[in-house]
């Protein structure tokens, strides 16, 4: 079933970890198999006429790519982070497209699916560039820290138990460069995969040329910008928990199936949502509702259909 051209799409932000199985080696074949499972509810929604735009995380995958580049550095020049994000968008878009088309074919559905390699403009004067906080890649022995900084120019953070890890800036997204193309495809009812990994972070030089940035843009914040621009009635963020919890790290966490925008902001201000995990998702949810009188849904990937139908996940509206 092809969605109506007049139907605004639901934006679904898929976590990068949901396309990996921690119990399996991260081979390409295993990633395809896991992605095929993750696309079953997406295909079900498309088959019943939902219009969807998909975004996805890339944290583990871009970490693998960085490690490959690092290990090959004696033979080949290392790949900068903006290009690694672009590589992950292409590879993961191919994987998602292929898996989704296979699931649709089983349903006799030949709906079009396309991936857009997407740039996201950031401000080079963003304070985040002076305070890198976003970890990427693997952990290293602390004794390797001086050589990593000297040879790669990396900034590192320490973990008392696991060692040191590269950290990069996470600036605020300003504009999705390919948004007009995404809008045109949506008007045709095409399922679009875009803004992978938060988009390729770029800025513009004084003469208007695009400059890649060694940074990572938060995927949920970019998904929020995308949902607002497309007028999406829903922003759905799949993650590793079945509900948003009040006091998640306490001895008595409380599931919150329904939340208002004000409740989200109050809980966030009280420290209930961890920085780097649920925090950005809640910020994106509240910011989306500033612009669109719609709904943000937080759910497990496998609960996606039930969540869209109101039977699973946490549903956030302007008023609960």
């Amino acid at each position: 079933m092809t969605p109506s051209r007049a139907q605004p799409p639901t934006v679904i932000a898929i976590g990068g970890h949901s396309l990996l199985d921690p119990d399996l080696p991260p081979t390409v074949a295993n990633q395809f198999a896991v992605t095929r499972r993750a696309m079953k509810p997406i295909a079900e929604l498309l088959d019943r006429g939902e219009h969807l735009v998909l975004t996805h995380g890339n944290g583990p995958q871009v970490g693998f790519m960085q490690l490959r580049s690092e290990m090959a550095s004696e033979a080949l020049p290392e790949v900068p982070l903006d290009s690694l994000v672009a590589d992950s968008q292409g590879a993961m878009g191919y994987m998602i497209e292929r898996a989704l088309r296979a699931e649709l074919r089983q349903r006799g559905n030949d709906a079009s699916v396309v991936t857009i390699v997407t740039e996201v403009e950031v401000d080079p004067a963003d304070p985040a560039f002076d305070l890198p906080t976003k970890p990427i890649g693997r952990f290293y022995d602390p004794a390797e820290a001086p050589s990593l900084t000297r040879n790669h120019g990396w900034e590192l953070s320490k973990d008392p138990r696991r060692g040191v890890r590269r950290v990069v800036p996470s600036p605020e997204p300003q504009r999705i460069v390919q948004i007009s193309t995404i809008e045109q495809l949506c008007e045709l009812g095409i399922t679009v995969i875009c803004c992978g990994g938060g988009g390729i972070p770029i800025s513009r030089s004084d003469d208007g040329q695009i400059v890649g940035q060694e940074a990572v843009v938060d995927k949920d914040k970019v998904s929020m910008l995308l949902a607002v621009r497309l007028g999406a009635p829903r922003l759905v963020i799949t993650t590793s928990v079945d509900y948003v919890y009040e006091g998640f790290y306490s001895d008595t966490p409380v599931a919150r199936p329904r939340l208002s925008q004000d409740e989200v902001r109050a809980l966030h201000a009280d420290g209930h949502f961890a920085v780097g995990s649920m925090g950005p998702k809640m910020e994106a949810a509240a910011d989306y509702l500033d612009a669109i009188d719609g709904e943000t849904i937080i759910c497990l990937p496998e609960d996606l259909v039930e969540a869209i139908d109101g039977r699973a996940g946490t549903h956030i509206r302007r008023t609960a």
Side-chain angles (χ1 to χ4, degrees), residues 1 12 36-52 99-100 103-105 107 109 301-309 311:
M1 185 173 180
I12 299 180
R36 179 73 184 264
R37 293 198 300 269
M39 289 301 106
K40 288 182 183 294
I42 301 287
E44 183 174 338
L45 290 171
L46 289 171
D47 200 43
R48 71 185 198 184
E50 294 279 353
H51 187 189
L52 306 179
L100 182 53
E103 285 298 315
L104 288 169
R105 276 197 302 271
R107 294 165 165 79
N109 189 326
E302 59 267 31
D303 290 347
L304 182 57
V305 175
E306 290 77 9
I308 292 285
D309 291 341
R311 296 182 281 111

Side-chain angles (χ1 to χ4, degrees), residues 60-101:
Q61 294 84 359
V62 85
F64 299 153
M65 290 177 176
Q66 177 188 275
L67 181 58
R68 290 189 189 103
S69 178
E70 178 193 343
M71 292 177 71
S73 61
E74 291 187 7
L76 294 167
E78 290 196 54
V79 181
L81 185 54
D82 59 309
S83 293
L84 291 176
V85 174
D87 289 348
S88 73
Q89 284 191 9
M92 295 180 73
Y94 163 59
M95 189 166 60
I96 293 168
E97 273 190 47
R98 199 173 100 178
L100 182 53
R101 284 197 299 262

Side-chain angles (χ1 to χ4, degrees), residues 8 13 32 42 57 61 69 159 202 214 226 252 271 279:
F32 268 103
I42 301 287
Q61 294 84 359
S69 178
D159 183 288
I202 63 100
E214 289 277 315
L226 179 67
T252 55

Side-chain angles (χ1 to χ4, degrees), residues 189-213:
I190 293 171
T191 300
V192 180
I193 303 161
C194 60
C195 300
I200 305 161
I202 63 100
S203 61
R204 294 189 183 272
S205 63
D206 291 340
D207 61 356
Q209 298 300 309
I210 283 178
V211 179
Q213 294 288 346

Side-chain angles (χ1 to χ4, degrees), residues 128-158:
F129 283 104
D130 295 323
L131 187 65
T133 58
K134 184 74 172 179
I136 65 167
R138 67 183 180 95
F139 285 93
Y140 297 84
D141 189 296
E144 297 179 79
S147 65
L148 291 170
T149 300
R150 182 176 61 254
N151 295 335
H152 304 287
W154 292 353
E155 297 205 38
L156 303 166
S157 67
K158 290 184 178 180

Side-chain angles (χ1 to χ4, degrees), residues 20-26 30:
L20 292 170
D21 187 331
D23 296 326
L24 295 173
N30 284 339

